[in-house]
Amino acid sequence: MKINGKTKVCAIIGDPVEHSLSPVMHNAAFKELGLNIVYVAFPVKTGMLKDAILGARRLGLLGLNVTMPHKHAVIQYLDETESTAKAIGAVNTILNERGKLFGYNTDGKGAMIALQENHVDPEEKKMLLLGAGGAAKAIAFQATQETGELVVLNRTEERAKQLAELLNKTFGTKVTGRTLSAETLKEELETTDILVNATSVGMSPNVNTSPVPADLLHSGLCVMDIVYNPLETKLLKDAKIAGAKVVSGLEMLLYQGAVAFEIWTNCPAPVDVMKKVALSKLAEQGVRP
Ligand code: ATR
């Protein structure tokens, strides 16, 4: 691609951003579709967010991805925020439309599309979601609308209950929030179709840990992990051995990026190309399938 006077710019802002996979994924996608857009990473420290957003506005950046620690704080600087992102309290994608900044959260949609693209239809199914942090919240908001039943388990029970309450208040659903323990896992997993790990358990360097005892996993499950380092977590290894279907954390990362790409360009994202470059970048960082 030739950079010229008409090249548009997208960027990720956060701290740190150096190891983000988004620049390689989006640049490969822009190139594949012949779009005159480049994607760069800007490290932005906490106190600099307001100025960074003003800069993005004044320079006419096309779009931004927002990562830690700015996902919540950025909302106050936007013109409009999609209702789900507002309810979650986190924006990870911004579109600049003729100087107006619109905020979105593509994490939950990314997770649900990852399931569908892997031939898992959540409709009428029971999902057991582990975790109640930022990632879990985004997934829960989408899953509540797309599954038959949702149960949230979290190490800190209070956070699971608060998330369930927020969902029930927002959607009029009957989501339950419980503590994450061997007992609750045993009870819930028997009737679960889709298990999603949205905790950080199993992430490198703690690769030999799993949030679920292996003997509770069964062949009727689809197990998705949001951890993508390692690509095959202990949970996914155990799930495979139990005969369950598995979906790796790379899929959610890929589809949250694909949704952002579509918001900026109005073009379907070339996900195969994005996946290929994300895998090579991970391999460079020592993360292999
Ligand atoms: P993120 O925004 O990436 O979701 P987070 O908000 O810090 O990060 O949430 C991390 C999640 O992993 C939380 O659900 C956390 O449980 P607590 O709410 O009890 O802290 C969960 N988590 C982290 N370490 C864990 C561990 N060793 N065992 C069980 N859950 C863990």
Side-chain angles (χ1 to χ4, degrees), residues 32 97 156 158 168 204 264-265:
E32 176 72 14
E97 209 170 38
T156 309
E158 194 48 36
N168 295 337
S204 177
W264 297 326
T265 66

Side-chain angles (χ1 to χ4, degrees), residues 177-224:
R178 307 180 70 189
T179 186
L180 172 60
S181 70
E183 290 75 46
T184 52
L185 279 167
K186 187 171 184 329
E187 274 174 42
E188 299 291 349
L189 275 171
E190 272 172 19
T191 52
T192 292
D193 304 293
I194 303 165
L195 169 67
V196 177
N197 175 40
T199 75
S200 47
V201 181
M203 193 186 288
S204 177
N206 303 312
V207 298
N208 291 320
T209 58
S210 165
V212 182
D215 61 348
L216 298 182
L217 298 165
H218 56 81
S219 61
L221 285 173
C222 166
V223 183
M224 180 161 82

